Amino acid sequence: MARESISKIAYKTLQQSKSLAGFAHKQISSRLMNFILPDSKLENFDIDKDLLIQIQNSMDNLREEDWNDAEKNIYPKKLLFDEPWLRYLTQYPKIWLDMPNTWDRRRKQNFDDLPKSIDKDNYPQYYLRNFHHQTDGYLSDFSASIYDLQVEILFNGSADSMRRRIIKPIKEGLEIFSDRKKSSLKILDVATGSGRTLKQLRAAFPKEKITGIDLSDSYLKEASRYISDLDGDLIQLIKGNAEELPFENDSFQCISCVYLFHELPRTIRAKVLNEFFRVLEPGGILVLADSIQISDSPDFTSVMENFYKSFHEPFYCDYIKEDIDSKIEDVGFKDVKSNSFFMTKVWSAVK
């Protein structure tokens, strides 16, 4: 058996360390908050040994896929070690300081505890809530500043590895435009959030034009700070709603969208897919990444059910049961493909 390289050992060690750190944080914080603010309505979720082994195997497979894609130059290997440690170091105390507020909101089922300063008329009703019980929902600078670290903790350090699953199908999809200059190709990242996906896209696509769109001013400001020093052309950031994208028909050769669909009502998911179809050029590639579903990961059903019970995710239960493949086809897309990696499912489709 061939010996693993030093780089691969370093990568696996980093990932395992992040996983242990995320698990330890959740264990300690849950026990502490249950002691300070006990609530009999919040049931403990015990994972049996067999399911735990399946989860660990799935995570190991994700890491192997991540490493192999970097080895094949699908994206730079430096991305595997790109961790904003200083940023996370400043964020982590904020998470602990905010935890009593989050826990109390969860106990009281208070889902509309939002900043008084926001103009609610500027946002759709389904957006005006504290997703994950997080302070201010997606509508404050504070929320935006700690979001990435919260997601890393939630997924035990695997969030970036799962996000990177969109890069390979994007690269394969853009091959149809290989006769064009790369600088003429345009990629749109919808619900771009705090910019973590944008940074990975820029590393993999250094010459293409990249645009990020999001509904939150605060998250766009955070994304602007985060991507300000990236090499390559400036990434354009735009405020907008995925239901009504502010772009002409056939404007982009690629659309990516990460972790948006499970936070949309079913009727809105359909509207967003129609918008994706409209602004994509014929032959263009759509790549979606979101939570796994019951159809592709039945063994993880209890994990999915616990997610929407423990967090405020009002549309998640419907999402994990919906046939997204058929919905994508109904809009007019073809060559619909899907695959699952740990807790994330990735779809690709061609207009």
Side-chain angles (χ1 to χ4, degrees):
M1 181 182 293
R3 295 176 61 185
E4 291 184 336
S5 67
I6 297 296
S7 294
K8 187 172 184 181
I9 293 172
Y11 166 71
K12 291 173 69 174
T13 301
L14 173 63
Q15 296 302 312
Q16 289 166 358
S17 299
K18 288 166 61 182
S19 179
L20 288 172
F23 181 77
H25 171 90
K26 285 184 284 191
Q27 288 290 308
I28 295 169
S29 61
S30 293
R31 290 175 182 175
L32 181 61
M33 285 299 107
N34 270 316
F35 176 76
I36 297 173
L37 296 169
D39 190 340
S40 60
K41 292 182 294 185
L42 300 178
E43 300 176 358
N44 291 324
F45 177 59
D46 296 320
I47 301 178
D48 65 55
K49 184 178 179 181
D50 290 340
L51 179 56
L52 195 60
I53 291 172
Q54 285 182 288
I55 290 173
Q56 185 59 57
N57 289 340
S58 181
M59 193 180 297
D60 290 342
N61 290 337
L62 167 67
R63 292 167 180 163
E64 194 68 23
E65 184 90 14
D66 196 25
W67 175 263
N68 289 339
D69 280 357
E71 281 277 273
K72 297 172 185 174
N73 294 317
I74 291 171
Y75 40 78
K77 195 172 288 186
K78 66 179 182 180
L79 277 183
L80 303 180
F81 302 93
D82 177 36
E83 300 293 340
W85 296 115
L86 182 60
R87 187 179 180 217
Y88 287 167
L89 209 60
T90 60
Q91 291 171 344
Y92 191 60
K94 295 180 184 179
I95 290 177
W96 274 102
L97 290 171
D98 188 53
M99 200 172 297
N101 298 325
T102 303
W103 200 266
D104 188 55
R105 195 178 296 114
R106 176 183 174 182
R107 288 171 68 247
K108 295 177 180 177
Q109 301 292 288
N110 184 4
F111 305 136
D112 58 357
D113 180 20
L114 299 172
K116 300 294 189 293
S117 59
I118 66 168
D119 185 349
K120 293 186 177 182
D121 292 337
N122 291 335
Y123 304 95
Q125 190 61 42
Y126 62 81
Y127 192 77
L128 295 170
R129 62 183 71 244
N130 302 92
F131 287 103
H132 323 136
H133 309 285
Q134 67 192 39
T135 295
D136 301 330
Y138 292 125
L139 295 168
S140 76
D141 294 352
F142 175 80
S143 169
S145 72
I146 63 174
Y147 176 77
D148 282 343
L149 182 54
Q150 287 177 316
V151 173
E152 280 295 324
I153 291 171
L154 174 64
F155 289 120
N156 289 346
S158 296
D160 279 345
S161 300
M162 291 190 291
R163 286 191 187 101
R164 283 192 285 270
R165 296 312 97 221
I166 69 172
I167 295 177
K168 183 177 180 180
I170 289 176
K171 283 212 164 183
E172 293 172 348
L174 288 178
E175 288 177 1
I176 193 173
F177 303 109
S178 59
D179 59 331
R180 303 184 192 180
K181 290 183 178 180
K182 289 186 176 181
S183 59
S184 71
L185 301 181
K186 294 190 290 184
I187 299 171
L188 174 65
D189 186 52
V190 179
T192 205
S194 54
R196 193 71 182 151
T197 300
L198 289 176
K199 185 171 185 180
Q200 301 202 30
L201 287 172
R202 174 51 79 209
F205 303 97
K207 297 181 179 179
E208 289 80 352
K209 297 184 186 302
I210 300 177
T211 300
I213 187 169
D214 200 275
L215 195 52
S216 171
D217 290 299
S218 294
Y219 277 68
L220 287 171
K221 284 192 292 183
E222 184 70 18
S224 180
R225 287 190 288 267
Y226 186 55
I227 65 175
S228 61
D229 60 348
L230 297 184
D231 295 332
D233 286 349
L234 186 69
I235 294 175
Q236 185 178 21
L237 296 174
I238 295 174
K239 180 178 180 179
N241 191 333
E243 297 177 62
E244 298 178 355
L245 293 172
F247 307 110
E248 299 291 332
N249 296 349
D250 308 336
S251 298
F252 293 88
Q253 287 71 50
C254 171
I255 293 177
S256 62
C257 182
V258 179
Y259 302 143
L260 170 66
F261 270 41
H262 74 278
E263 293 187 342
L264 298 176
R266 181 175 290 219
T267 55
I268 304 302
R269 289 196 291 266
K271 288 182 67 175
V272 170
L273 282 172
N274 274 289
E275 277 295 274
F276 289 171
F277 191 82
R278 180 183 67 80
V279 303
L280 262 182
E281 176 182 337
I285 182 76
L286 168 67
V287 180
L288 305 175
D290 216 297
S291 166
I292 53 175
Q293 297 183 291
I294 292 175
S295 60
D296 59 271
S297 304
D299 292 341
F300 291 170
T301 297
S302 60
V303 178
M304 288 181 261
E305 290 178 343
N306 182 68
F307 180 66
Y308 70 77
K309 291 176 182 176
S310 299
F311 295 84
H312 178 54
E313 286 287 1
F315 313 115
Y316 186 80
C317 184
D318 178 66
Y319 161 82
I320 60 176
K321 299 173 183 177
E322 186 177 22
D323 185 353
I324 301 293
D325 298 60
S326 295
K327 296 301 180 182
I328 295 173
E329 290 176 343
D330 290 345
V331 170
F333 285 101
K334 57 185 180 181
D335 299 333
V336 180
K337 301 174 184 175
S338 63
N339 204 349
S340 297
F341 308 92
F342 185 36
M343 304 308 293
T344 292
K345 185 173 182 178
V346 177
W347 290 266
S348 65
V350 177
K351 178 174 176 180

